[in-house]
Amino acid sequence: MIDPARLAFDIDGVVADTMTLFLDIADKKYGYGGITQDQITSYMIEDCLPIESSVVLAIINELLEMSHEQPLNPVDGAVEVLSGMAGLGAKLTFVTARPRRRAITQWLSQAIQVPEDKLAVHATGSFEAKAQVLTEMGVIHFVEDRLETCFHLAEHGIDPILFARPWNRKPHPFIEINNWEELKACIAGL
Ligand SMILES: [Mg+2]
C-alpha cells in the first residue's frame, strides 16, 4: 500500500483531461474535427496527428496560458480520490512541467474543491526537473503519464506509477494503473 504522504501527481493527462481539451480546441477553433484520443500515440503530437505544427503550437500555448474558452475537465475519478486524500489530512502534492503554477493551481482548487493552501503545486518548467523537486519533498511514488519522464524519475530514485494512456503504450518495467479506481485501491486509508 502507498502512504498518501509519500505520493504526488503529475497534472496534465493524470488529473486534468488536457488531451480532450486539446482535441476540443483543435476541432472548434481550428476545424480539425473527428480526431480521437486513441490517435495520440506519442507525446510528440505533430508526429501522430494530422494537424499543422503551427496549430499544435498555438493550442499548446493556449493550454499553458489557460486562455482557452472550452473547459478543462478533470480525468474521471480524480476528484473523488484526491478529495478523499485531502479528507485524510494529507497535503496534496502536484509537480508539473508547466512553466507557471498560478492558473493551474486555481483550476486544481476549484476542480477538487480543496482550498489552495492545502495544495502544494510545483511548476518546474521542464520534465527533467521533476526528480529533484520530488526528492526534496520526500516523495517516493509519482503518478505520471509521460513514459520518458517515468524512466528519468526511476533513474533518480523515484518510484513512477504510469497512468496508462494511448501515448505511453510501450514496454516498461513500472507499476501501471488504467484509471483512478485502480490507484485508489493502492492508497493506504482510502
Ligand atoms: Mg502529464
Side-chain angles (χ1 to χ4, degrees), residues 13 57-58 83 139 146 164:
L57 283 176
S83 55
V139 169
R146 186 173 178 267

Side-chain angles (χ1 to χ4, degrees), residues 10 12 43 144-145:
D10 174 38
D12 293 296
Y43 234 86
E144 169 68 54
D145 68 317

